[in-house]
Amino acid sequence: MDKFIIEGGFKLSGYVEISGSKNSSLPIMAASLLTDKDVVLHNVPELRDINTMIKLLENLGCRVERKNKKLVLNCKNAGSLRAPYELVKTMRASILVFGPLMSRFGYAEVSMPGGCAIGVRPVNLHIKALEKMGADISIEHGYIVSKARKLKGSQIYFDIPTVTGTENVMMASVFADGTTFIKNAAKEPEVVDLANMLNKMGADIKGAGTSTIVINGVDRLDGVDYAVMFDRIEAGTFMCASLITESNIKIKNIPVYAMDAVFEKFKAVGGFIDIESEDAAVVGGKDIFPINIKTSVYPGFPTDMQAQFMSVLSLAKGTSIIEETIFENRFQHAAELNRLNANISAIGNKAVIRGVDKLVGAKVMATDLRASASLVIAGLAAEGVTEISRIYHLDRGYEHLEEKLSNLGAKIRRVKE
Ligand code: EPU
């Protein structure tokens, strides 16, 4: 197992290039199951979760060729319709093959994802939606077993706007008989990216990015050549790194259009943003002011940025409150940050962060992907050396993080434990 050793206190400078979005790439790769033609994808980050999705698609019978950030997928010979426990347990987003398998083959066996480090995360809404579309679903030996002669267009209402649920239903309904309406749909930019890709393949999807998505079933989808959007969470993570180190850096490939809530909070904390173009900005700051943050669905403040802002706020001149409304157990980084001299009390879904004068290096443990990022950010500002173990969580979702930070002047290295 690898760990990071970070020597804190160094300023950052220069520029960093943001990679393609993990949470866009995963559904977009799963959508390749919907055609027997080549799907050519650009800008796909080199990450552990992407490797897992490649393995899963290969397992289902797809051919995947990879050249750096370009993927060529062909699912003409897809035939095995089972997403096995061994893969699903390593990545919950494996559930994203459920919709496309049902759409193209009318059959799927997908291992039920269990709970995870940040919450229970059920998939009941995915299942209920597919049932409404006519699928006959049972849970057998830990697997969702689903059959349908042909899915039919339906009115789907989500109790909670679910990102992968919306993506699954969109993919399930592209060939359905008639029209599907997804009400209270997730509005995240990654949902829009998937809809744009599917429409380029010949689907008829309207309203992605709003709370009602309308999908008219079509007969077939073609191959496609598509570049996935840049990663708004990675961009926000580098913004936090700049502010906590009191440094100005330039971020290239930042998806400015998707970052309003993060920009607003960043400015409220004391950061400045100089937007140079639709995909480049200079960010930085010096003083950190206390603020309150409540996570919510897009266009609200993303839960995936909560941990990184907590690190920054631990050095604020005063007390901040963060309320987490999406996941019920997403404060595990608080106790680890306290090991670095932060003063955070987390009770239920609220964390009270009392700003301290300085963070001090220590040994800490990463507990999930974004929690790991928050520890790296804290380590950059902490006095002395911070050692972060279990960084395999980070490798799921941040491409070449230590390389990008080193290029900016941070003292960070990866060592084998
Ligand atoms: N929920 C249900 N039932 C369902 C589905 C969701 O109760 O059937 C609940 C969840 O438990 C949660 C809420 O609804 O409380 C929202 O969950 P959602 O389904 O939107 O999350 P997700 O689709 O599983 C995606 C991202 C997450 C991100 C969330 C929220 C991908 C692959 N994952 O997860 O990303 O935190 O949306 O924005 O897109 C990450 O990248 O670190 C990450 C965890």
Side-chain angles (χ1 to χ4, degrees):
M1 257 197 293
D2 294 357
K3 64 182 174 185
F4 276 160
I5 313 265
I6 303 174
E7 225 181 300
F10 290 87
K11 291 247 188 209
L12 307 181
S13 64
Y15 71 88
V16 60
E17 280 182 34
I18 298 306
S19 302
S21 157
K22 163 180 87 79
N23 289 348
S24 255
S25 299
L26 293 170
I28 281 176
M29 288 167 71
S32 64
L33 282 162
L34 294 165
T35 177
D36 55 9
K37 300 282 175 6
D38 276 359
V39 168
V40 182
L41 301 178
H42 305 272
N43 215 18
V44 179
E46 293 170 44
L47 299 170
R48 209 155 63 93
D49 275 6
I50 299 296
N51 295 341
T52 307
M53 184 54 92
I54 291 176
K55 265 192 224 153
L56 177 56
L57 291 172
E58 285 175 341
N59 221 269
L60 295 170
C62 304
R63 204 187 64 225
V64 186
E65 285 165 36
R66 175 173 203 158
K67 204 166 177 216
N68 304 323
K69 294 176 197 316
K70 177 177 165 188
L71 285 186
V72 181
L73 305 110
N74 187 295
C75 294
K76 186 173 173 193
N77 297 323
S80 147
L81 306 178
R82 183 178 168 91
Y85 174 68
E86 291 64 32
L87 289 173
V88 178
K89 76 171 182 200
T90 64
M91 184 183 72
R92 303 179 52 82
S94 306
I95 190 74
L96 285 164
V97 300
F98 181 35
L101 286 179
M102 284 306 293
S103 202
R104 176 150 160 223
F105 302 101
Y107 188 85
E109 287 179 23
V110 182
S111 176
M112 286 275 279
C116 82
I118 61 176
V120 185
R121 302 184 77 184
V123 287
N124 58 316
L125 300 175
H126 303 230
I127 294 174
K128 209 170 128 194
L130 268 286
E131 278 177 341
K132 186 98 193 274
M133 296 179 74
D136 176 12
I137 301 180
S138 54
I139 307 297
E140 294 173 23
H141 308 290
Y143 279 76
I144 304 165
V145 179
S146 177
K147 318 167 200 169
R149 200 165 296 146
K150 181 130 171 72
L151 294 172
K152 51 180 197 300
S154 312
Q155 295 255 3
I156 307 296
Y157 170 78
F158 282 127
D159 276 348
I160 306 170
T162 153
V163 176
T164 49
T166 302
E167 292 164 345
N168 250 337
V169 173
M170 251 172 18
M171 293 189 278
S173 50
V174 283
F175 300 137
D177 271 337
T179 304
T180 302
F181 296 83
I182 311 178
K183 305 243 172 109
N184 204 19
K187 295 185 268 204
E188 269 64 4
E190 293 78 13
V191 171
V192 179
D193 209 21
L194 172 65
N196 289 342
M197 183 255 197
L198 292 169
N199 281 339
K200 202 170 172 197
M201 292 169 84
D204 180 356
I205 303 174
K206 295 188 185 75
T210 74
S211 57
T212 302
I213 302 179
V214 183
I215 305 116
N216 288 307
V218 296
D219 290 336
R220 57 188 291 275
L221 293 187
D222 258 329
V224 71
D225 195 294
Y226 193 79
V228 300
M229 67 176 283
F230 291 108
D231 198 310
R232 62 193 171 105
I233 305 301
E234 188 196 7
T237 302
F238 277 99
M239 288 169 65
C240 289
S242 78
L243 185 49
I244 205 166
T245 55
E246 300 181 2
S247 312
N248 298 351
I249 60 169
K250 179 166 176 166
I251 305 185
K252 294 186 180 177
N253 301 339
I254 180 171
V256 166
Y257 69 96
M259 303 208 48
D260 289 347
V262 172
F263 282 178
E264 277 312 299
K265 288 297 175 188
F266 187 74
K267 285 190 249 175
V269 179
F272 80 87
I273 305 164
D274 180 10
I275 296 172
E276 293 190 333
S277 67
E278 61 187 23
D279 62 358
V282 175
V283 300
K286 191 163 169 43
D287 294 320
I288 300 175
F289 300 104
I291 57 162
N292 295 340
I293 293 178
K294 183 174 178 175
T295 64
S296 72
V297 296
Y298 191 85
F301 186 88
T303 173
D304 291 345
M305 280 306 305
Q306 176 257 103
Q308 302 88 316
F309 267 75
M310 190 180 283
S311 295
V312 174
L313 291 173
S314 66
L315 286 173
K317 294 179 171 57
T319 300
S320 309
I321 295 176
I322 296 184
E323 190 180 346
E324 169 61 52
T325 71
I326 308 294
F327 294 112
E328 64 273 21
N329 189 28
R330 213 176 194 183
F331 283 145
Q332 290 194 52
H333 42 281
E336 297 300 308
L337 288 172
N338 284 346
R339 291 183 48 73
L340 299 174
N341 195 47
N343 182 353
I344 304 167
S345 358
I347 302 157
N349 73 337
K350 287 209 177 93
V352 178
I353 304 123
R354 293 185 181 83
V356 293
D357 288 341
K358 63 175 182 183
L359 295 173
V360 182
K363 289 187 179 180
V364 287
M365 200 172 73
T367 50
D368 71 72
L369 172 56
R370 308 303 170 188
S372 322
S374 78
L375 297 177
V376 171
I377 288 167
L380 294 176
E383 200 176 275
V385 175
T386 299
E387 239 184 78
I388 308 174
S389 59
R390 301 202 178 171
I391 54 163
Y392 56 86
H393 290 293
L394 261 172
D395 296 334
R396 295 184 55 175
Y398 286 93
E399 190 179 45
H400 311 313
L401 182 63
E402 71 271 32
E403 226 173 275
K404 290 186 183 184
L405 282 170
S406 298
N407 288 342
L408 288 169
K411 300 281 176 254
I412 175 168
R413 63 200 163 86
R414 179 185 289 259
V415 295
K416 298 254 173 251
E417 269 188 301

